[in-house]
Amino acid sequence: MNYIKNKLFIDKFSVDKIIKKFGTPSYCYSYDELKKNVLNFKKNFNKINPLICFSVKSNNNIKILNELSKFGLGADVVSKGELLAALKAKINPNKIVFSGVGKTYDEIDFAIKNKILLINTESLSEILSILKIAKKKQKRVNIGLRLNPNVDAKTIKEITTGKISNKFGLTETEVIKIINQYKKSKYLNIKCLSVHIGSQITNHVPYLKMLKALQNVIDKSKFYFEYIDVGGGMGINYNNSRQILNYKKYSDKISKFVKKNKVKIIFEPGRSIIGNTGYLLAKIIYIKDTTKIRFIIIDAGMNDLMRPALYKAYHRIIPTKKNRNKIFKLHDFVGPICETTDKFLTVKSYQKLKEGDNLVILDVGAYGKVLSSNYNLRENSKEVLIKKSKIFQIKKRQKIEDIIQ
Ligand code: LLP
């Protein structure tokens, strides 16, 4: 993304022209950015040749998943729907892991039928369910045990998952007990120890603590795990600052870990692969000036992008046409939804805007479209992908008639 003569371009396409053709609100993704992220991720961990399972919950567009499968990526799924999407996108079942605390009988059955790599289990009750289904099918099912390492990921409270107060995973004691009970099971094949401590992590230290917790389980259980699934969580730079997570320190420590334990590493990144590749294109409907605040009312709402309302998440908003006329007044960029939290950003000053101008909300590729809803009975936004000097529509805008039927 860059400005040429004050006009915004994404991969050589004028954003105003994209908007003219596809309308607003629309999500627009850059294939070039996606490729860059995948190659960077691989480069950061090239010493250990990991299996990279893209976290489908961050973006489940089939075309995007299909592009990722062409880069050799697998998938981390948390529902039958996500598993179906991954299979439809031609992701190899042998590269799919299934996590989540509440997998139903039907979901487990479907996962076994499709011969995926691993079902990462999160409770003893779930293990008993899998055992029951495996017995019925007379099959030995590959499972992982998800450890709750009780490590603080030092990220937003709402997206922390590795503390003992969080619903995820099993304690060290439980993991060891399960290993001792089921290591010779005819129906369960314990292949993996998995963990995921949270999302938007910007400090490498929690990751080092997490590795230590994994090592403790390996040492205490004296069990050989073929795979160690370290989850995802790598943070991105929403405020355009410099690289924030020290990949080198994390990668060095993992390399040592692999050497010592002779295991294969699985990563489940979502945001770090897709986050900065997505743009939400919107149009200003009205500008409403009050004594203190200038409300910029745009045609994208919290139903299109939930992150600011849900986590007070910060996303930059930039104009498609730049000018030098700055207005020094509090600006609130808001959507049309009847909720006060339907607000994307507040800034102290902004360039002069007018009704009908186009704006772009940045870094919305992860947990953007997937969290959208039909609240206020609004249709879901369109999705387009820029790839090799072409733009493809990769998801139609919903029709109101279809939603209300
Ligand atoms: N693996 C597991 C088991 C997960 O629960 C998650 C994310 C990931 C991998 C991928 O994490 P990532 O690399 O994307 O950080 N809606 C929130 C984020 C929720 C993350 C949920 N789990 C947001 O918009 O920030």
Side-chain angles (χ1 to χ4, degrees):
M1 171 206 78
N2 61 332
Y3 284 96
I4 302 173
K5 292 190 182 150
N6 293 328
K7 286 192 180 141
L8 185 66
F9 286 76
I10 302 174
D11 297 351
K12 300 196 186 99
F13 279 92
S14 142
V15 178
D16 282 331
K17 281 197 181 143
I18 301 176
I19 288 177
K20 204 162 178 199
K21 180 151 185 214
F22 295 99
T24 51
S26 290
Y27 276 87
C28 173
Y29 303 95
S30 154
Y31 174 84
D32 285 353
E33 285 295 330
L34 187 67
K35 185 173 174 186
K36 211 193 284 173
N37 290 345
V38 172
L39 297 184
N40 259 340
F41 197 96
K42 288 187 175 175
K43 201 170 111 202
N44 280 327
F45 297 102
N46 63 354
K47 281 191 203 140
I48 54 169
N49 191 24
L51 171 60
I52 306 170
C53 294
F54 176 69
S55 196
V56 175
K57 66 175 82 63
S58 65
N59 191 308
N60 59 32
N61 188 288
I62 307 267
K63 286 284 184 311
I64 290 193
L65 296 179
N66 182 246
E67 294 299 347
L68 292 171
S69 82
K70 290 184 208 157
F71 290 121
L73 267 58
D76 150 48
V77 302
V78 290
S79 67
K80 184 176 177 179
E82 286 190 359
L83 177 50
L84 264 170
L87 294 171
K88 209 169 162 199
K90 301 200 170 66
I91 292 182
N92 184 343
N94 201 28
K95 291 182 178 177
I96 299 180
V97 297
F98 195 155
S99 319
V101 295
K103 298 176 208 82
T104 62
Y105 188 99
D106 178 44
E107 288 179 317
I108 296 168
D109 186 71
F110 187 72
I112 297 174
K113 218 180 267 164
N114 282 286
K115 301 193 177 78
I116 65 168
L117 178 63
L118 289 167
I119 301 178
N120 282 337
T121 58
E122 309 221 12
S123 66
L124 183 58
S125 299
E126 188 191 2
I127 290 174
L128 295 177
S129 266
I130 298 174
L131 191 62
K132 208 164 129 192
I133 301 169
K135 251 188 204 166
K136 207 168 147 197
K137 290 182 178 292
Q138 286 297 305
K139 278 196 175 145
R140 193 157 191 243
V141 177
N142 295 335
I143 63 164
L145 303 177
R146 177 165 173 180
L147 174 71
N148 181 319
N150 198 20
V151 166
D152 187 348
K154 305 260 183 253
T155 177
I156 311 168
K157 184 170 108 272
E158 288 81 0
I159 53 176
T160 294
T161 51
K163 294 278 289 173
I164 213 68
S165 52
N166 303 134
K167 67 178 173 182
F168 303 96
L170 301 148
T171 63
E172 181 189 279
T173 317
E174 285 170 323
V175 169
I176 294 171
K177 210 168 147 196
I178 290 168
I179 292 170
N180 288 332
Q181 194 167 354
Y182 293 105
K183 63 183 167 196
K184 293 196 182 113
S185 165
K186 219 172 125 188
Y187 301 106
L188 298 178
N189 184 11
I190 305 175
K191 276 201 151 197
C192 173
L193 181 62
S194 82
V195 71
H196 172 79
I197 58 172
S199 197
Q200 186 53 18
I201 298 172
T202 54
N203 179 339
H204 64 279
V205 177
Y207 279 129
L208 307 191
K209 288 189 182 155
M210 173 194 91
L211 288 174
K212 198 148 181 230
L214 291 168
Q215 190 64 53
N216 280 343
V217 173
I218 296 175
D219 293 346
K220 285 186 191 165
S221 67
K222 299 192 179 62
F223 184 78
Y224 174 70
F225 295 96
E226 186 180 341
Y227 293 97
I228 301 288
D229 178 344
V230 291
M234 291 84 167
I236 62 167
N237 307 318
Y238 284 105
N239 56 9
N240 201 23
S241 61
R242 64 189 165 80
Q243 178 69 52
I244 35 180
L245 179 67
N246 192 329
Y247 274 88
K248 171 132 186 19
K249 289 206 167 135
Y250 185 23
S251 165
D252 284 351
K253 205 60 170 199
I254 289 202
S255 298
K256 280 189 194 136
F257 181 91
V258 167
K259 220 171 181 183
K260 180 169 173 169
N261 299 296
K262 312 259 174 307
V263 289
K264 285 183 210 138
I265 295 288
I266 299 174
F267 283 110
E268 301 173 353
R271 194 188 313 265
S272 52
I273 298 290
I274 195 78
N276 67 352
T277 71
Y279 304 82
L280 180 54
L281 317 182
K283 196 179 273 302
I284 300 175
I285 313 175
Y286 299 118
I287 295 179
K288 186 164 142 178
D289 268 309
T290 62
T291 43
K292 285 205 178 111
I293 303 173
R294 174 157 241 234
F295 289 102
I296 310 295
I297 304 167
I298 65 176
D299 63 357
M302 65 190 277
N303 73 303
D304 299 298
L305 177 67
M306 272 288 274
R307 300 195 72 252
L310 206 53
Y311 316 110
K312 297 199 168 57
Y314 174 80
H315 287 270
R316 286 172 288 156
I317 300 184
I318 60 171
T320 58
K321 282 191 200 79
K322 245 201 302 203
N323 66 49
R324 283 164 195 270
N325 304 325
K326 211 165 191 182
I327 297 193
F328 291 91
K329 184 173 181 181
L330 219 52
H331 284 62
D332 266 6
F333 291 84
V334 300
I337 302 275
C338 301
E339 294 267 358
T340 303
T341 53
D342 184 27
K343 180 164 88 178
F344 295 111
L345 184 70
T346 300
V347 290
K348 285 188 183 142
S349 64
Y350 205 83
Q351 75 167 42
K352 192 169 176 193
L353 294 169
K354 58 179 191 324
E355 294 173 357
D357 280 356
N358 295 321
L359 295 172
V360 179
I361 309 182
L362 301 185
D363 304 318
V364 297
Y367 310 106
K369 174 70 192 217
V370 285
L371 275 168
S372 64
S373 76
N374 293 122
Y375 189 38
N376 278 203
L377 233 172
R378 285 163 50 86
E379 63 271 59
N380 260 349
S381 43
K382 194 178 270 186
E383 287 176 289
V384 301
L385 173 70
I386 302 181
K387 184 183 174 188
K388 295 187 183 147
S389 48
K390 279 204 178 121
I391 308 184
F392 303 90
Q393 176 172 301
I394 57 172
K395 185 65 88 32
K396 278 193 218 151
R397 195 181 305 286
Q398 282 179 314
K399 288 207 174 83
I400 298 279
E401 298 75 40
D402 293 340
I403 311 169
I404 57 180
Q405 247 178 29

